[in-house]
Amino acid sequence: MMLRLLVVTALAAAMLVGTTTAACACSCVEFKPAQAVQNATAVFTGTVVAIRTVKGPPNAQKIYTFRTDHVYKGAPTAEFQIGADTDSPACGYVFDQDARYLVFAGQAERVPGASLSTSLCSGNIPIRPGTGPLKAGDERETTHETIGGPVTTDLITALGTPVRPGKTGTPTTPQPAVSWRWVAAVAVVTATTLSWYARHSTAD
Protein backbone atom coordinates (compact mmCIF):
# COMPACT_ATOMS: atom_id res chain seq x y z
CA MET A 1 0.00 0.00 0.00
CA MET A 2 2.82 2.33 0.95
CA LEU A 3 4.67 1.59 -2.31
CA ARG A 4 1.53 2.25 -4.36
CA LEU A 5 1.06 5.55 -2.52
CA LEU A 6 4.66 6.53 -3.23
CA VAL A 7 4.24 5.70 -6.93
CA VAL A 8 1.04 7.76 -7.17
CA THR A 9 2.71 10.65 -5.34
CA ALA A 10 5.75 10.49 -7.65
CA LEU A 11 3.56 10.49 -10.76
CA ALA A 12 1.56 13.44 -9.46
CA ALA A 13 4.75 15.35 -8.73
CA ALA A 14 6.12 14.57 -12.18
CA MET A 15 2.90 15.80 -13.79
CA LEU A 16 3.01 18.98 -11.70
CA VAL A 17 6.62 19.67 -12.66
CA GLY A 18 5.82 19.05 -16.32
CA THR A 19 2.82 21.35 -16.21
CA THR A 20 4.75 24.10 -14.47
CA THR A 21 7.58 23.87 -16.98
CA ALA A 22 5.19 24.12 -19.91
CA ALA A 23 3.34 27.07 -18.41
CA CYS A 24 6.58 28.93 -17.80
CA ALA A 25 8.13 28.12 -21.18
CA CYS A 26 7.51 31.67 -22.42
CA SER A 27 9.97 34.20 -21.04
CA CYS A 28 9.88 37.80 -22.28
CA VAL A 29 12.71 40.29 -22.07
CA GLU A 30 11.73 43.67 -20.66
CA PHE A 31 12.36 46.64 -22.92
CA LYS A 32 11.59 50.35 -23.03
CA PRO A 33 8.82 51.80 -25.23
CA ALA A 34 11.30 53.15 -27.76
CA GLN A 35 12.77 49.66 -28.16
CA ALA A 36 9.33 48.15 -28.70
CA VAL A 37 8.66 50.63 -31.51
CA GLN A 38 12.09 50.04 -33.03
CA ASN A 39 11.70 46.26 -32.96
CA ALA A 40 8.30 46.31 -34.68
CA THR A 41 7.58 46.43 -38.40
CA ALA A 42 4.15 47.97 -37.83
CA VAL A 43 2.64 49.78 -34.84
CA PHE A 44 -1.01 50.83 -34.87
CA THR A 45 -4.21 51.18 -32.88
CA GLY A 46 -7.21 49.28 -34.17
CA THR A 47 -10.27 47.19 -33.40
CA VAL A 48 -10.61 43.44 -34.03
CA VAL A 49 -13.31 42.92 -36.67
CA ALA A 50 -12.65 39.28 -37.62
CA ILE A 51 -10.89 36.20 -36.22
CA ARG A 52 -9.90 33.18 -38.29
CA THR A 53 -8.32 29.95 -37.01
CA VAL A 54 -5.59 28.64 -39.30
CA LYS A 55 -4.32 25.83 -37.09
CA GLY A 56 -6.23 23.96 -34.42
CA PRO A 57 -4.99 22.88 -30.99
CA PRO A 58 -2.53 22.02 -29.76
CA ASN A 59 -0.49 25.15 -30.53
CA ALA A 60 -3.49 26.88 -32.08
CA GLN A 61 -2.84 29.81 -34.42
CA LYS A 62 -5.24 32.55 -35.49
CA ILE A 63 -5.30 35.50 -37.87
CA TYR A 64 -6.89 38.65 -36.51
CA THR A 65 -8.21 41.36 -38.83
CA PHE A 66 -7.97 44.84 -37.38
CA ARG A 67 -9.81 47.94 -38.56
CA THR A 68 -7.12 50.55 -38.12
CA ASP A 69 -7.71 54.03 -36.72
CA HIS A 70 -4.13 55.31 -36.33
CA VAL A 71 -0.80 54.03 -37.65
CA TYR A 72 2.38 54.93 -35.78
CA LYS A 73 4.75 52.85 -37.89
CA GLY A 74 4.37 51.04 -41.21
CA ALA A 75 2.01 51.48 -44.15
CA PRO A 76 -1.15 53.47 -43.22
CA THR A 77 -3.58 50.80 -44.41
CA ALA A 78 -7.24 50.61 -43.37
CA GLU A 79 -6.84 46.99 -42.21
CA PHE A 80 -4.09 44.81 -40.82
CA GLN A 81 -4.14 41.01 -40.67
CA ILE A 82 -2.01 39.86 -37.76
CA GLY A 83 -1.12 36.24 -37.02
CA ALA A 84 -0.55 34.96 -33.51
CA ASP A 85 -0.16 31.77 -31.54
CA THR A 86 -2.80 31.46 -28.84
CA ASP A 87 -1.02 29.18 -26.37
CA SER A 88 0.82 30.72 -23.43
CA PRO A 89 3.81 28.33 -23.59
CA ALA A 90 4.38 29.52 -27.18
CA CYS A 91 4.21 33.17 -26.02
CA GLY A 92 0.83 33.40 -27.68
CA TYR A 93 -1.42 36.43 -27.49
CA VAL A 94 -5.23 36.32 -27.61
CA PHE A 95 -7.19 39.28 -28.98
CA ASP A 96 -10.91 39.70 -28.28
CA GLN A 97 -13.50 40.32 -30.99
CA ASP A 98 -14.62 43.99 -31.20
CA ALA A 99 -11.91 45.08 -28.75
CA ARG A 100 -9.35 47.82 -29.43
CA TYR A 101 -5.60 47.42 -29.00
CA LEU A 102 -2.26 49.09 -29.50
CA VAL A 103 -0.48 46.45 -31.58
CA PHE A 104 3.23 45.92 -32.15
CA ALA A 105 3.68 43.51 -35.09
CA GLY A 106 6.72 42.03 -36.82
CA GLN A 107 7.32 39.90 -39.87
CA ALA A 108 5.27 36.69 -39.79
CA GLU A 109 7.35 33.57 -39.36
CA ARG A 110 5.10 30.75 -38.21
CA VAL A 111 1.51 31.73 -39.03
CA PRO A 112 0.55 30.78 -42.60
CA GLY A 113 -1.47 33.37 -44.49
CA ALA A 114 -0.40 36.33 -42.33
CA SER A 115 2.12 38.94 -43.48
CA LEU A 116 2.65 40.16 -39.91
CA SER A 117 2.62 38.44 -36.54
CA THR A 118 2.74 39.34 -32.87
CA SER A 119 3.22 37.65 -29.51
CA LEU A 120 2.93 38.11 -25.77
CA CYS A 121 6.43 39.61 -25.75
CA SER A 122 5.72 42.23 -28.43
CA GLY A 123 4.22 44.74 -26.01
CA ASN A 124 0.59 44.82 -27.19
CA ILE A 125 -1.73 46.84 -24.94
CA PRO A 126 -5.53 46.55 -24.63
CA ILE A 127 -6.88 50.11 -24.87
CA ARG A 128 -10.21 51.86 -24.47
CA PRO A 129 -12.70 51.97 -27.36
CA GLY A 130 -12.53 54.97 -29.66
CA THR A 131 -10.97 56.32 -32.83
CA GLY A 132 -8.84 59.17 -31.51
CA PRO A 133 -5.07 59.31 -31.08
CA LEU A 134 -3.71 57.36 -28.13
CA LYS A 135 -3.46 59.25 -24.84
CA ALA A 136 -1.73 58.49 -21.57
CA GLY A 137 -4.00 56.36 -19.38
CA ASP A 138 -5.91 54.78 -22.29
CA GLU A 139 -5.07 51.22 -21.21
CA ARG A 140 -7.89 48.95 -20.02
CA GLU A 141 -8.23 45.69 -18.12
CA THR A 142 -8.44 42.37 -19.98
CA THR A 143 -9.16 38.80 -19.00
CA HIS A 144 -6.33 37.47 -21.16
CA GLU A 145 -2.66 37.40 -20.25
CA THR A 146 -0.77 40.53 -21.28
CA ILE A 147 2.46 42.19 -20.19
CA GLY A 148 2.12 45.43 -22.15
CA GLY A 149 1.10 48.71 -20.57
CA PRO A 150 0.30 51.04 -19.11
CA VAL A 151 0.01 53.80 -21.71
CA THR A 152 2.47 56.37 -20.39
CA THR A 153 3.74 59.71 -21.64
CA ASP A 154 7.05 58.02 -22.44
CA LEU A 155 5.21 55.55 -24.68
CA ILE A 156 3.27 58.34 -26.41
CA THR A 157 6.55 60.17 -27.07
CA ALA A 158 8.19 57.01 -28.42
CA LEU A 159 5.24 56.35 -30.75
CA GLY A 160 5.49 59.79 -32.35
CA THR A 161 2.85 61.41 -34.55
CA PRO A 162 0.36 58.91 -36.06
CA VAL A 163 -1.03 58.83 -39.60
CA ARG A 164 -4.68 58.15 -40.34
CA PRO A 165 -5.44 55.09 -42.51
CA GLY A 166 -5.47 55.83 -46.22
CA LYS A 167 -3.32 58.92 -45.76
CA THR A 168 0.29 59.33 -46.75
CA GLY A 169 2.77 61.35 -44.82
CA THR A 170 5.33 61.38 -42.06
CA PRO A 171 5.27 62.77 -38.52
CA THR A 172 5.06 66.53 -38.69
CA THR A 173 7.84 68.73 -37.34
CA PRO A 174 7.62 72.44 -36.54
CA GLN A 175 8.91 74.75 -39.27
CA PRO A 176 11.81 77.01 -38.24
CA ALA A 177 10.75 80.53 -37.33
CA VAL A 178 11.76 83.37 -39.66
CA SER A 179 14.58 85.47 -38.20
CA TRP A 180 13.48 89.05 -37.58
CA ARG A 181 17.07 90.17 -38.11
CA TRP A 182 16.95 88.77 -41.61
CA VAL A 183 13.64 90.55 -42.26
CA ALA A 184 15.07 93.82 -40.95
CA ALA A 185 18.17 93.45 -43.14
CA VAL A 186 16.04 92.90 -46.23
CA ALA A 187 13.94 95.93 -45.36
CA VAL A 188 17.04 98.15 -44.97
CA VAL A 189 18.48 97.00 -48.29
CA THR A 190 15.16 97.56 -50.04
CA ALA A 191 14.77 101.06 -48.55
CA THR A 192 18.34 102.01 -49.50
CA THR A 193 17.85 100.78 -53.05
CA LEU A 194 14.59 102.69 -53.45
CA SER A 195 16.16 105.87 -52.02
CA TRP A 196 19.13 105.62 -54.38
CA TYR A 197 16.81 105.06 -57.34
CA ALA A 198 14.62 108.05 -56.34
CA ARG A 199 17.62 110.42 -56.06
CA HIS A 200 19.03 109.40 -59.44
CA SER A 201 15.63 109.68 -61.09
CA THR A 202 15.28 113.28 -59.78
CA ALA A 203 18.79 114.21 -60.97
CA ASP A 204 17.99 112.98 -64.46
Side-chain angles (χ1 to χ4, degrees):
M1 181 67 181
M2 180 63 68
L3 179 59
R4 181 178 299 177
L5 179 61
L6 289 175
V7 170
V8 171
T9 303
L11 288 174
M15 291 176 63
L16 180 61
V17 171
T19 303
T20 304
T21 303
C24 299
C26 177
S27 178
C28 300
V29 177
E30 293 185 9
F31 41 73
K32 296 181 178 180
Q35 292 174 302
V37 176
Q38 183 179 1
N39 293 340
T41 303
V43 182
F44 63 91
T45 53
T47 302
V48 179
V49 295
I51 302 174
R52 178 165 58 93
T53 301
V54 294
K55 180 181 178 183
N59 301 325
Q61 295 178 332
K62 295 185 178 182
I63 294 179
Y64 300 89
T65 301
F66 287 84
R67 182 179 64 245
T68 317
D69 53 74
H70 286 84
V71 178
Y72 292 87
K73 185 177 182 180
T77 58
E79 287 189 349
F80 278 97
Q81 291 194 336
I82 307 298
D85 289 304
T86 59
D87 294 332
S88 295
C91 295
Y93 194 94
V94 177
F95 297 97
D96 290 323
Q97 178 77 32
D98 300 323
R100 188 177 180 225
Y101 296 84
L102 169 65
V103 181
F104 296 83
Q107 295 298 325
E109 297 178 355
R110 294 183 298 174
V111 182
S115 57
L116 295 170
S117 65
T118 191
S119 72
L120 179 66
C121 301
S122 299
N124 305 311
I125 303 176
I127 57 176
R128 296 172 182 172
T131 57
L134 199 61
K135 304 186 301 297
D138 272 353
E139 71 278 355
R140 62 174 174 80
E141 295 294 329
T142 180
T143 57
H144 297 298
E145 184 178 9
T146 183
I147 63 172
V151 180
T152 62
T153 54
D154 287 342
L155 174 59
I156 299 298
T157 301
L159 289 172
T161 304
V163 176
R164 297 284 291 184
K167 304 286 186 179
T168 57
T170 56
T172 56
T173 55
Q175 296 297 321
V178 177
S179 172
W180 286 108
R181 292 184 179 179
W182 184 84
V183 173
V186 171
V188 170
V189 171
T190 302
T192 303
T193 302
L194 291 174
S195 177
W196 179 88
Y197 181 77
R199 288 198 304 270
H200 283 71
S201 296
T202 302
D204 295 340

